[in-house]
Amino acid sequence: MSSSELNRAFWDRQSDEYQEHHKAFIGTPEPRWGMWQIPESELRILGDVADKDVLELGCGAAQWAILLGKQGARMVALDNSERQLEHARRLMADAGVDFPLLHSRAESVPLPDASFDVVFCDHGALTFADPHLVVPEVARLLRPDGLFVFSHLTPLAWICGDEDDYVVDRLVMDYFDVHRYDDADGSVLFQLPYGEWIRLFRRNGLTVEELIEVQPPEGAPSTYRTPEETAWARRWPMEEIWKVRKWS
Ligand SMILES: C[S@@+](CC[C@H](N)C(=O)[O-])C[C@H]1O[C@@H](n2cnc3c(N)ncnc32)[C@H](O)[C@@H]1O
Protein backbone atom coordinates (compact mmCIF):
# COMPACT_ATOMS: atom_id res chain seq x y z
CA MET A 1 0.00 0.00 0.00
CA SER A 2 1.18 3.55 -0.68
CA SER A 3 1.74 5.99 2.22
CA SER A 4 -1.46 7.88 1.29
CA GLU A 5 -3.49 4.64 1.41
CA LEU A 6 -1.95 3.72 4.77
CA ASN A 7 -2.61 7.21 6.15
CA ARG A 8 -6.17 7.23 4.78
CA ALA A 9 -6.89 3.96 6.60
CA PHE A 10 -5.16 5.29 9.75
CA TRP A 11 -7.10 8.59 9.82
CA ASP A 12 -10.43 6.95 8.97
CA ARG A 13 -9.78 4.64 11.94
CA GLN A 14 -8.51 7.34 14.33
CA SER A 15 -10.74 10.24 13.39
CA ASP A 16 -13.55 9.84 15.96
CA GLU A 17 -11.15 9.34 18.85
CA TYR A 18 -8.89 12.22 17.67
CA GLN A 19 -11.78 14.68 17.37
CA GLU A 20 -13.21 13.66 20.74
CA HIS A 21 -9.82 13.95 22.47
CA HIS A 22 -8.87 17.37 21.05
CA LYS A 23 -12.26 19.02 20.52
CA ALA A 24 -12.11 21.38 23.50
CA PHE A 25 -8.51 22.40 22.74
CA ILE A 26 -8.59 23.20 19.00
CA GLY A 27 -11.00 25.26 16.93
CA THR A 28 -11.55 27.97 19.53
CA PRO A 29 -12.77 31.43 18.45
CA GLU A 30 -9.48 32.43 16.84
CA PRO A 31 -7.06 30.49 14.61
CA ARG A 32 -4.23 29.00 16.68
CA TRP A 33 -1.16 26.97 15.68
CA GLY A 34 -0.01 23.55 16.62
CA MET A 35 0.52 21.45 19.67
CA TRP A 36 0.31 24.39 22.09
CA GLN A 37 -2.27 26.38 20.14
CA ILE A 38 -0.25 29.61 19.79
CA PRO A 39 -2.63 32.28 18.39
CA GLU A 40 -2.14 33.37 14.79
CA SER A 41 -2.85 36.91 16.07
CA GLU A 42 0.44 36.62 18.02
CA LEU A 43 2.55 35.00 15.29
CA ARG A 44 1.00 36.94 12.37
CA ILE A 45 2.32 34.41 9.87
CA LEU A 46 -0.69 34.07 7.56
CA GLY A 47 -1.71 37.72 7.88
CA ASP A 48 -4.96 39.08 6.49
CA VAL A 49 -6.77 36.38 4.51
CA ALA A 50 -9.90 38.38 3.63
CA ASP A 51 -10.81 38.06 -0.08
CA LYS A 52 -7.96 35.61 -0.69
CA ASP A 53 -8.26 32.14 -2.22
CA VAL A 54 -6.95 29.81 0.48
CA LEU A 55 -6.36 26.04 0.36
CA GLU A 56 -5.87 23.94 3.50
CA LEU A 57 -3.96 20.72 2.79
CA GLY A 58 -5.01 18.14 5.37
CA CYS A 59 -7.78 20.07 7.08
CA GLY A 60 -9.04 17.37 9.45
CA ALA A 61 -12.38 18.56 10.81
CA ALA A 62 -11.74 21.99 9.20
CA GLN A 63 -11.42 23.90 12.48
CA TRP A 64 -8.87 26.24 10.84
CA ALA A 65 -10.80 26.58 7.57
CA ILE A 66 -14.01 27.50 9.40
CA LEU A 67 -12.28 30.31 11.31
CA LEU A 68 -10.48 31.65 8.21
CA GLY A 69 -13.74 31.45 6.24
CA LYS A 70 -15.34 33.64 8.89
CA GLN A 71 -12.50 36.14 8.36
CA GLY A 72 -13.48 36.42 4.69
CA ALA A 73 -11.11 33.90 3.07
CA ARG A 74 -12.49 32.00 0.06
CA MET A 75 -11.65 28.57 1.49
CA VAL A 76 -11.15 25.17 -0.06
CA ALA A 77 -10.36 22.49 2.52
CA LEU A 78 -8.83 19.20 1.42
CA ASP A 79 -8.29 15.98 3.34
CA ASN A 80 -7.32 12.41 2.52
CA SER A 81 -9.72 10.91 5.11
CA GLU A 82 -13.46 10.75 4.43
CA ARG A 83 -14.18 10.30 8.14
CA GLN A 84 -12.29 13.52 8.98
CA LEU A 85 -14.36 15.30 6.32
CA GLU A 86 -17.58 13.98 7.89
CA HIS A 87 -16.52 15.72 11.11
CA ALA A 88 -15.72 18.82 9.04
CA ARG A 89 -19.25 18.82 7.56
CA ARG A 90 -20.73 18.60 11.06
CA LEU A 91 -18.61 21.48 12.42
CA MET A 92 -19.32 23.62 9.34
CA ALA A 93 -23.06 23.12 9.81
CA ASP A 94 -22.73 24.02 13.53
CA ALA A 95 -20.79 27.18 12.58
CA GLY A 96 -23.18 28.09 9.76
CA VAL A 97 -20.40 28.34 7.16
CA ASP A 98 -20.05 26.72 3.78
CA PHE A 99 -17.09 26.15 1.42
CA PRO A 100 -15.88 23.27 -0.76
CA LEU A 101 -14.46 20.21 0.99
CA LEU A 102 -12.27 18.08 -1.24
CA HIS A 103 -11.60 14.40 -0.57
CA SER A 104 -8.15 14.01 -2.09
CA ARG A 105 -4.57 13.28 -1.27
CA ALA A 106 -2.23 16.27 -1.23
CA GLU A 107 0.28 14.52 -3.47
CA SER A 108 -2.07 14.98 -6.45
CA VAL A 109 -4.72 17.69 -6.13
CA PRO A 110 -7.48 17.81 -8.77
CA LEU A 111 -7.49 21.61 -9.10
CA PRO A 112 -6.09 23.94 -11.79
CA ASP A 113 -2.67 25.63 -11.69
CA ALA A 114 -2.38 29.03 -9.99
CA SER A 115 -5.72 28.78 -8.15
CA PHE A 116 -4.63 30.04 -4.71
CA ASP A 117 -3.07 33.01 -2.92
CA VAL A 118 -2.35 30.93 0.17
CA VAL A 119 -1.77 27.20 0.71
CA PHE A 120 -1.28 26.11 4.31
CA CYS A 121 -1.66 23.37 6.90
CA ASP A 122 -1.21 22.90 10.62
CA HIS A 123 0.38 19.46 11.16
CA GLY A 124 -1.44 18.41 8.00
CA ALA A 125 -0.32 16.94 4.68
CA LEU A 126 3.32 18.07 5.01
CA THR A 127 3.60 15.71 7.98
CA PHE A 128 1.92 12.73 6.33
CA ALA A 129 2.82 12.98 2.64
CA ASP A 130 6.19 12.93 0.91
CA PRO A 131 7.41 16.55 0.60
CA HIS A 132 9.11 15.64 -2.72
CA LEU A 133 5.58 15.15 -4.14
CA VAL A 134 3.63 17.78 -2.17
CA VAL A 135 5.95 20.78 -2.51
CA PRO A 136 5.81 20.73 -6.38
CA GLU A 137 2.01 20.40 -6.10
CA VAL A 138 1.83 23.43 -3.82
CA ALA A 139 4.07 25.43 -6.18
CA ARG A 140 1.75 24.50 -9.08
CA LEU A 141 -1.39 25.53 -7.18
CA LEU A 142 -0.04 28.88 -5.95
CA ARG A 143 -0.23 32.14 -7.87
CA PRO A 144 2.97 34.16 -8.27
CA ASP A 145 3.82 35.81 -4.93
CA GLY A 146 1.52 33.32 -3.18
CA LEU A 147 2.18 32.16 0.36
CA PHE A 148 2.89 28.62 1.56
CA VAL A 149 2.77 28.09 5.33
CA PHE A 150 2.92 24.86 7.29
CA SER A 151 3.66 23.63 10.78
CA HIS A 152 5.16 20.27 11.66
CA LEU A 153 7.55 18.54 14.07
CA THR A 154 11.17 19.68 13.83
CA PRO A 155 13.86 17.37 12.44
CA LEU A 156 15.44 17.59 15.92
CA ALA A 157 12.33 16.21 17.64
CA TRP A 158 12.15 13.54 14.94
CA ILE A 159 15.69 12.25 15.60
CA CYS A 160 15.21 12.47 19.38
CA GLY A 161 12.07 10.29 19.22
CA ASP A 162 12.26 6.91 20.87
CA GLU A 163 10.22 3.88 19.86
CA ASP A 164 7.26 4.97 21.99
CA ASP A 165 7.13 8.32 20.12
CA TYR A 166 8.42 10.03 23.24
CA VAL A 167 11.18 12.64 22.86
CA VAL A 168 14.35 11.99 24.85
CA ASP A 169 17.38 14.19 25.55
CA ARG A 170 19.75 12.36 23.20
CA LEU A 171 20.00 11.78 19.47
CA VAL A 172 18.38 8.44 18.59
CA MET A 173 18.05 8.38 14.80
CA ASP A 174 20.45 9.31 12.01
CA TYR A 175 19.85 12.87 10.79
CA PHE A 176 20.90 12.40 7.17
CA ASP A 177 18.56 9.41 6.69
CA VAL A 178 15.48 11.33 7.79
CA HIS A 179 12.71 10.94 5.23
CA ARG A 180 9.92 8.38 5.84
CA TYR A 181 8.90 6.76 9.12
CA ASP A 182 6.41 3.88 9.23
CA ASP A 183 4.92 4.10 12.70
CA ALA A 184 3.77 1.00 14.59
CA ASP A 185 0.27 2.55 14.72
CA GLY A 186 -0.02 2.18 10.92
CA SER A 187 0.53 5.85 9.99
CA VAL A 188 3.42 7.04 7.82
CA LEU A 189 5.26 10.28 8.63
CA PHE A 190 7.67 12.34 6.52
CA GLN A 191 10.49 14.75 7.27
CA LEU A 192 13.64 16.08 5.58
CA PRO A 193 16.99 17.45 6.74
CA TYR A 194 17.00 21.28 6.66
CA GLY A 195 19.29 21.60 3.64
CA GLU A 196 17.01 19.34 1.65
CA TRP A 197 13.89 21.34 2.58
CA ILE A 198 15.56 24.52 1.32
CA ARG A 199 16.81 22.90 -1.90
CA LEU A 200 13.33 21.47 -2.53
CA PHE A 201 11.69 24.88 -2.06
CA ARG A 202 14.16 26.60 -4.39
CA ARG A 203 13.88 23.89 -7.06
CA ASN A 204 10.15 24.66 -7.12
CA GLY A 205 10.44 28.44 -7.30
CA LEU A 206 9.80 29.07 -3.61
CA THR A 207 11.80 31.25 -1.19
CA VAL A 208 11.91 30.87 2.58
CA GLU A 209 10.77 34.06 4.31
CA GLU A 210 10.70 32.80 7.86
CA LEU A 211 11.12 29.68 9.98
CA ILE A 212 9.42 30.04 13.34
CA GLU A 213 10.82 27.68 15.96
CA VAL A 214 7.95 27.49 18.41
CA GLN A 215 8.85 27.78 22.08
CA PRO A 216 5.69 27.13 24.10
CA PRO A 217 5.07 29.31 27.15
CA GLU A 218 6.10 27.63 30.41
CA GLY A 219 3.49 25.07 31.47
CA ALA A 220 1.47 25.66 28.30
CA PRO A 221 -1.46 23.26 28.11
CA SER A 222 -1.62 20.70 25.33
CA THR A 223 -3.77 17.71 24.48
CA TYR A 224 -0.96 16.54 22.15
CA ARG A 225 2.04 16.54 24.48
CA THR A 226 2.75 15.61 28.11
CA PRO A 227 4.03 18.26 30.57
CA GLU A 228 7.48 16.59 30.32
CA GLU A 229 7.46 16.98 26.55
CA THR A 230 6.38 20.60 26.88
CA ALA A 231 9.36 21.13 29.21
CA TRP A 232 11.57 19.53 26.49
CA ALA A 233 10.13 21.96 23.94
CA ARG A 234 11.05 24.88 26.23
CA ARG A 235 14.70 23.81 25.85
CA TRP A 236 14.86 22.60 22.23
CA PRO A 237 12.66 23.23 19.20
CA MET A 238 9.99 20.53 18.85
CA GLU A 239 7.59 22.30 16.50
CA GLU A 240 8.27 24.76 13.66
CA ILE A 241 6.32 26.78 11.12
CA TRP A 242 7.71 27.48 7.63
CA LYS A 243 6.66 30.62 5.77
CA VAL A 244 7.60 30.28 2.10
CA ARG A 245 6.77 32.55 -0.87
CA LYS A 246 6.38 31.67 -4.56
CA TRP A 247 8.53 33.82 -6.83
CA SER A 248 6.60 36.59 -8.58
C1 LIG B 1 -3.08 15.84 12.70
S1 LIG B 1 -4.41 16.06 11.53
C2 LIG B 1 -4.33 17.80 11.39
C3 LIG B 1 -5.62 18.40 10.97
C4 LIG B 1 -5.97 19.68 11.68
N1 LIG B 1 -5.08 20.75 11.34
C5 LIG B 1 -5.98 19.45 13.18
O1 LIG B 1 -5.24 20.12 13.88
O2 LIG B 1 -6.74 18.60 13.64
C6 LIG B 1 -3.65 15.53 10.00
C7 LIG B 1 -4.60 15.46 8.83
O3 LIG B 1 -3.85 15.26 7.63
C8 LIG B 1 -4.60 14.42 6.79
N2 LIG B 1 -3.74 13.76 5.82
C9 LIG B 1 -2.88 12.75 6.03
N3 LIG B 1 -2.27 12.40 4.89
C10 LIG B 1 -2.75 13.21 3.92
C11 LIG B 1 -2.51 13.34 2.52
N4 LIG B 1 -1.64 12.55 1.89
N5 LIG B 1 -3.19 14.28 1.84
C12 LIG B 1 -4.09 15.09 2.47
N6 LIG B 1 -4.36 15.01 3.79
C13 LIG B 1 -3.68 14.09 4.52
C14 LIG B 1 -5.25 13.43 7.74
O4 LIG B 1 -6.33 12.75 7.15
C15 LIG B 1 -5.61 14.31 8.92
O5 LIG B 1 -6.92 14.79 8.83
Side-chain angles (χ1 to χ4, degrees):
M1 276 215 268
S2 68
S3 63
S4 60
E5 287 169 323
L6 287 165
N7 281 328
R8 179 170 291 185
F10 171 81
W11 280 102
D12 281 344
R13 211 164 52 234
Q14 283 300 309
S15 173
D16 291 1
E17 191 183 317
Y18 177 91
Q19 295 304 334
E20 182 59 30
H21 186 68
H22 299 293
K23 70 178 177 196
F25 190 55
I26 60 177
T28 58
E30 64 171 324
R32 298 190 301 163
W33 287 101
M35 299 186 291
W36 296 278
Q37 292 288 281
I38 313 287
E40 161 65 16
S41 57
E42 205 176 286
L43 296 177
R44 294 172 178 277
I45 189 154
L46 281 181
D48 185 4
V49 293
D51 294 321
K52 292 189 175 157
D53 292 302
V54 179
L55 172 66
E56 182 171 5
L57 273 186
C59 64
Q63 289 95 342
W64 261 96
I66 289 168
L67 293 168
L68 296 186
K70 284 184 174 174
Q71 291 180 4
R74 287 183 296 273
M75 285 302 313
V76 175
L78 171 153
D79 203 279
N80 187 35
S81 157
E82 180 53 34
R83 187 62 188 158
Q84 289 280 71
L85 293 177
E86 282 168 24
H87 284 287
R89 274 181 215 107
R90 175 178 55 77
L91 294 187
M92 287 166 70
D94 291 351
V97 296
D98 195 24
F99 47 77
L101 289 176
L102 192 55
H103 186 211
S104 168
R105 53 191 209 112
E107 295 91 327
S108 172
V109 179
L111 292 172
D113 298 359
S115 302
F116 294 97
D117 304 302
V118 179
V119 176
F120 85 101
C121 61
D122 187 13
H123 292 269
L126 272 296
T127 301
F128 296 97
D130 191 337
H132 290 112
L133 302 175
V134 181
V135 170
E137 235 352 41
V138 171
R140 181 185 73 73
L141 291 161
L142 277 175
R143 297 183 178 128
D145 226 25
L147 195 59
F148 175 31
V149 176
F150 65 96
S151 69
H152 66 164
L153 276 187
T154 59
L156 182 63
W158 179 284
I159 61 175
C160 290
D162 72 3
E163 279 173 7
D164 300 321
D165 292 337
Y166 190 86
V167 280
V168 293
D169 59 359
R170 67 196 158 78
L171 306 176
V172 178
M173 288 164 63
D174 290 351
Y175 177 76
F176 290 108
D177 288 346
V178 156
H179 180 216
R180 169 180 171 144
Y181 180 74
D182 287 69
D183 202 305
D185 64 12
S187 65
V188 185
L189 304 158
F190 289 89
Q191 181 59 278
L192 296 175
Y194 283 108
E196 221 173 307
W197 275 113
I198 290 167
R199 271 192 299 280
L200 181 60
F201 293 141
R202 292 193 65 83
R203 269 205 308 276
N204 287 283
L206 302 159
T207 304
V208 176
E209 286 193 348
E210 212 174 334
L211 177 62
I212 295 175
E213 298 170 294
V214 174
Q215 188 185 29
E218 196 160 357
S222 175
T223 51
Y224 295 93
R225 292 290 164 180
T226 64
E228 293 74 23
E229 288 174 313
T230 298
W232 191 104
R234 293 275 307 156
R235 299 182 65 196
W236 301 289
M238 183 187 286
E239 179 181 65
E240 64 192 9
I241 309 173
W242 290 91
K243 179 176 183 179
V244 178
R245 177 96 49 194
K246 182 164 171 169
W247 298 343
S248 50

